[in-house]
């Protein structure tokens, strides 16, 4: 059998330890498929004395992870540290500059610096791979780079954050509020080191910008993803959605159908007949619509040690086989620099939720704003007086219409003393 692929692991947290366990457990099978064994030679993290539940004695320890790629006993570095900049980026740069391949699970870094790193990797003729950065264990980057390579992908969307999906699903099942459930997602190892990245939608936006670049052959444009997280979704919204035949899911959606690149992450009402309505817990799912393949659905565990390790090691197997194609499907110089699409002319249905003072005339004020903005109401529910200081929840579904009209209605209601918080607007995904 050929020489082993010599691997340095940077980061020994949830993902790093998962990678050690997987390479160890499936060593023989992996060597057969890769054509040579995968050998971890050296590891690095912050705290050498931490008990990680795995035996690190077979590996050398490197205190300064940034120089891992410069070591002679390393062919490829796996970065599982996290953070868009800092030591992760320094490590990525030095590794590629040293002419070594880089595998990373770090979507923040790829969303911000992926083009620079991919360009450097092309110059050095080394692989840059990031399957684990998007949708955990689902091999969706490979599917889009290879399996659907003959198609023009017209739209790509899905459930891209396991933490949010876990939280929304538990809220759905138990009626508990979001803040209470977040700690459970953290304890299960799904959340980012700073969980604000999950619940504010940033993590999903990182992944969407990477997915869009691979799917459409456009330059990564994280800055133009319109992002809203799940922090304003109440258990009562989930109950109302259920009564109307919907679930609430954080959806990342991108297309190039308008006048540019449209990218948005936002909680949506998803019709219970849509496949994404059945994506529960930390599961992720990605829908890609190709002009010849039709609609493809990829689904699986979106976070956690095992699934993420599976994606990392798949990249290592590709590198062991000598696969070094362009990171984003086409060379960086050929990625299209598509401008962000204007959203004003997009059409759709929406869920509007108002928390209002329970007094005469409030409903008239809301409906007047909707009328003046040209929003047509399909149905309305007013829940009885809530426990909290006479606050009442009013929910409306709109007919299909321009999104700009809903935005205008919200603008007209801005600062109204009748509303105890700004209206919550969720777009609807019917099919
Ligand atoms: P984690 O459990 O917090 O582990 C991070 C590791 O990096 C730890 O071993 C830590 O060392 C080390 N580290 C952090 N800062 C460091 C520094 N300044 N210098 C040296 N070492 C440092 O994180 P994780 O969940 O494994 O995630 C790692 C990466 O994978 C992130 O980019 C994340 O977004 C991505 N990812 C995670 C998942 C998931 O399900 N968890 C899924 C897909 C992608 P110590 O242990 O010594 O503190
Ligand atoms: N924090 C991320 C999530 C990890 O919850 O989806 C997987 O990328």
């Amino acid at each position: 059998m050929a020489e082993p692929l010599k691997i340095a692991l940077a980061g020994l947290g949830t993902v790093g330890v998962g990678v050690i366990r997987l390479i160890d457990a499936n060593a023989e099978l992996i060597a057969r498929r890769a054509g040579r064994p995968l050998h971890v030679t050296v590891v690095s993290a912050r705290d050498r004395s931490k008990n990680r539940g795995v035996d690190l004695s077979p590996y050398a320890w490197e205190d300064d992870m940034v120089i891992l790629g410069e070591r002679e006993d390393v062919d490829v570095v796996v970065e599982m540290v996290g953070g868009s900049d800092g030591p992760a980026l320094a490590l990525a740069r030095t590794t590629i500059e040293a002419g070594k391949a880089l595998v990373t699970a770090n979507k923040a870094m790829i969303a911000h610096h992926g083009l620079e790193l991919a360009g450097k990797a092309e110059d050095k003729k080394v692989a840059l791979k990031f399957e684990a950065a998007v949708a955990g264990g689902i091999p969706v980057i490979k599917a889009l780079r290879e399996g659907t390579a003959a198609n023009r992908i017209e739209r790509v969307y899905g459930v891209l954050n396991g933490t949010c999906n876990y939280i929304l699903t538990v809220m759905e099942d138990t009626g508990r509020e979001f803040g209470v459930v977040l700690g459970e997602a953290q304890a299960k190892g799904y959340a980012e080191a700073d969980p604000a990245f999950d619940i504010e939608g940033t993590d999903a936006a990182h992944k969407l910008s990477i997915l869009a670049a691979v799917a459409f052959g456009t330059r990564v444009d994280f800055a133009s993803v319109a992002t809203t997280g799940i922090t304003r979704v109440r258990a009562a919204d989930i109950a109302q959605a259920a009564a109307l035949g919907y679930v609430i899911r954080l959806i990342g959606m991108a297309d190039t159908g308008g006048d540019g690149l449209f990218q948005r992450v936002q909680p949506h009402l998803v019709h219970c007949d849509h496949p994404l309505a059945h994506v529960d817990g930390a599961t992720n799912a990605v829908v890609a619509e190709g002009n010849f393949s039709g609609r493809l659905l990829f689904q699986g565990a979106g976070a956690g040690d095992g699934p993420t390790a599976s994606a990392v090691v798949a990249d290592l197997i590709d590198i062991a086989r000598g696969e070094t194609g362009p990171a984003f499907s086409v060379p960086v110089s050929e990625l299209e620099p598509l401008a962000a699409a204007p959203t004003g002319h997009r059409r759709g249905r929406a869920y509007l939720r108002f928390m209002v003072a329970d007094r005469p005339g409030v409903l008239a004020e809301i409906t007047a704003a909707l009328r003046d903005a040209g929003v047509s109401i399909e149905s309305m529910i007013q829940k009885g007086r809530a426990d909290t200081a006479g606050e009442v929840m009013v929910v409306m579904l709109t007919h299909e219409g321009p999104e700009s009209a809903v935005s205008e209605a919200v603008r007209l209601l801005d600062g109204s003393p009748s509303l105890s918080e700004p209206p919550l607007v969720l777009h609807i995904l019917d099919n």
Side-chain angles (χ1 to χ4, degrees):
M1 193 171 275
E3 283 289 291
L5 182 74
K6 299 186 289 274
I7 299 162
L9 302 182
L12 297 171
T14 304
V15 182
V17 168
V19 167
I20 290 180
R21 290 206 171 102
L22 171 51
I23 290 179
D24 193 38
N26 289 354
E28 214 177 295
L29 170 155
I30 290 170
R32 271 207 317 277
R33 292 185 179 161
R36 52 184 173 140
L38 304 192
H39 274 188
V40 176
T41 51
V42 53
V43 298
S44 179
R46 233 174 343 210
D47 178 0
R48 188 171 186 173
S49 63
K50 197 188 265 186
N51 178 3
R52 302 172 191 277
V54 286
D55 179 14
L56 297 180
S57 63
Y59 321 121
W61 178 275
E62 179 64 69
D63 279 324
D64 179 6
M65 71 162 63
V66 175
I67 61 163
L68 282 171
E70 292 164 1
R71 289 175 60 116
E72 290 207 341
D73 58 355
V74 171
D75 299 319
V76 49
V77 173
V78 185
E79 184 277 308
M80 299 165 289
V81 174
S84 58
D85 296 79
L89 182 61
L91 169 65
R93 284 177 173 151
T94 54
T95 298
I96 294 170
E97 272 153 23
K100 306 286 174 73
L102 182 80
V103 172
T104 179
N106 187 339
K107 49 271 168 141
M109 182 176 75
I110 296 299
H112 285 276
H113 303 289
L115 294 178
E116 174 211 316
L117 296 174
K120 282 189 161 70
E122 283 166 28
D123 291 346
K124 290 285 182 181
K125 299 189 173 30
V126 295
L128 166 66
K129 293 198 160 280
F130 43 77
E131 184 63 73
V134 180
I138 309 173
V140 67
I141 298 294
K142 199 175 182 71
L144 293 174
R145 275 182 89 239
E146 299 177 22
T148 65
N151 286 258
R152 182 154 40 78
I153 302 293
E154 291 166 340
R155 187 161 75 137
V156 64
Y157 63 100
V159 172
L160 300 176
N161 183 271
T163 303
C164 289
N165 211 56
Y166 176 86
I167 292 172
L168 292 171
T169 310
V170 175
M171 287 171 74
E172 195 175 293
D173 292 345
T174 64
R176 286 189 286 157
E177 286 297 349
F178 141 88
V180 186
V181 187
L182 171 61
E184 288 172 25
Q186 288 177 283
K188 287 177 183 289
Y190 304 148
E192 296 303 298
D194 176 357
F197 278 86
D198 296 292
I199 61 179
E200 303 288 356
T202 313
D203 177 78
H206 286 148
K207 293 166 179 168
L208 184 70
S209 66
I210 298 168
L211 212 46
V214 177
F216 308 139
T218 49
R219 290 176 72 81
V220 184
D221 187 7
F222 166 70
S224 78
V225 184
T227 305
T228 310
I230 63 167
T231 53
R232 291 196 60 215
V233 175
R234 299 180 179 214
D237 290 307
I238 292 175
Q240 285 309 306
L244 294 161
Y246 293 87
V247 297
I248 298 184
R249 294 286 179 267
L250 183 70
I251 301 292
M253 182 171 293
D255 66 52
T256 53
D259 303 330
L261 175 62
F262 169 76
Q263 301 178 100
R264 177 159 68 195
V265 170
Q266 194 192 52
H268 279 62
L269 257 66
V270 180
H271 194 271
C272 56
D273 288 340
H274 193 286
L276 294 187
H278 306 286
V279 176
D280 292 334
T283 307
N284 281 189
V286 177
V287 177
E289 295 170 353
N291 63 337
F292 274 70
S293 64
R295 184 197 267 186
L296 299 165
L297 172 68
F298 307 94
Q299 184 168 341
D305 52 356
T308 312
S310 162
V312 167
V313 178
D315 280 347
L316 288 170
I317 292 173
D318 269 352
I319 290 168
R321 289 168 171 163
E323 210 280 331
T324 58
F328 292 98
S329 308
V330 294
V332 171
S333 60
E334 290 174 29
L335 290 168
E336 220 181 324
L338 222 50
T343 54
H345 60 273
R346 291 186 79 86
R347 295 179 64 81
R349 295 168 63 232
Y351 167 97
L352 310 180
R353 184 259 281 155
F354 306 90
M355 297 306 297
V356 302
D358 192 6
R359 57 179 164 71
V362 170
L363 205 52
E365 186 186 339
I366 294 172
T367 51
L370 292 168
R371 177 203 61 211
D372 293 348
V375 177
S376 169
I377 302 164
E378 180 187 293
S379 56
M380 195 202 92
I381 302 170
Q382 179 175 330
K383 289 286 283 180
R385 194 184 290 259
D387 298 339
T388 46
E391 219 184 20
V392 166
M393 184 170 171
V394 177
V395 166
M396 294 176 187
L397 291 193
T398 70
H399 282 294
E400 184 176 317
E403 290 184 4
S404 56
V406 173
S407 306
E408 172 62 6
V410 169
R411 194 192 62 76
L412 291 173
L413 288 166
D414 185 32
S416 162
S418 305
L419 304 186
S420 59
E421 59 178 84
L424 178 72
V425 179
L426 305 181
H427 295 288
I428 296 180
L429 188 59
D430 277 309
N431 50 49

